[in-house]
Amino acid sequence: GAVVSQHPSRVICKSGTSVKIECRSLDFQATTMFWYRQFPKQSLMLMATSNEGSKATYEQGVEKDKFLINHASLTLSTLTVTSAHPEDSSFYICSARDPSRTRIYNEQFFGPGTRLTVL
Amino acid sequence: LAKTTQPISMDSYEGQEVNITCSHNNIATNDYITWYQQFPSQGPRFIIQGYKTKVTNEVASLFIPADRKSSTLSLPRVSLSDTAVYYCLVGDKNSGNTPLVFGKGTRLSVIA
């Protein structure tokens, strides 16, 4: 149980185009999901908190108009990178917590990640 | 949020026991210690969590001294497939559903 999926696993796009990344909780409902970005050889950096039915909360320095987050249902959050540029090339990872699992404090389940390459 | 410090990298031969120590001098009373593992090009996954003394599961052991200012993740008899980055995180057990804050982690390379 507690599986988080992401789609696509990798995407290559041209500079200036938009790319949508999906994050799904497959066997649980998640009112909150988190989006991270990871550059090569670096740690995960939190980008935003996605809240079902309300606006996302962005971390300082993350442009909300560039990284559009939509959490339209309890099992799906999407991250759209608008007008992508080569510097947006990175590994994007989402996470969510299964509220029915309480043995581990704040156990987060991570998606497999999406590798974005902007040419 | 208590800051954590870990070695940047470690090398080990297959079959050896690997111990990765994390320092968290400013850990608070309500803080718990959690370790995550991340394989290349994958999302992190939970390994183990503890508050004090020793915790053991099918994957690893976690040793936490009485002052809780550090913790040691112990991986018994590592194999090549244990090559990954290991993150030590400290968080308030009353914080609820909040994002995890990752430090730089320890990059473990297991050599045949």
Side-chain angles (χ1 to χ4, degrees), chain A residues 31-32 34 36 38 41-44 46 49 91 93 97 103-108 110-113 115, chain B residues 32 34 36 38 41-46 49 87 93 95-105 107:
Chain A
T31 56
T32 303
F34 304 106
Y36 296 82
Q38 185 175 35
K41 304 293 185 183
Q42 294 188 24
S43 185
L44 286 79
L46 178 68
T49 299
F91 192 52
I93 310 170
R97 178 173 169 267
R103 188 175 65 87
I104 304 297
Y105 293 116
N106 196 22
E107 182 180 13
Q108 294 287 332
F110 288 82
R115 184 157 310 277
Chain B
Y32 55 91
T34 312
Y36 278 76
Q38 184 182 24
S41 296
Q42 293 187 31
R45 68 166 189 157
F46 171 87
Q49 184 180 84
Y87 296 97
K93 63 183 178 182
S95 62
N97 188 10
T98 53
L100 298 179
V101 178
F102 289 84
K104 296 183 178 180
R107 187 172 300 273

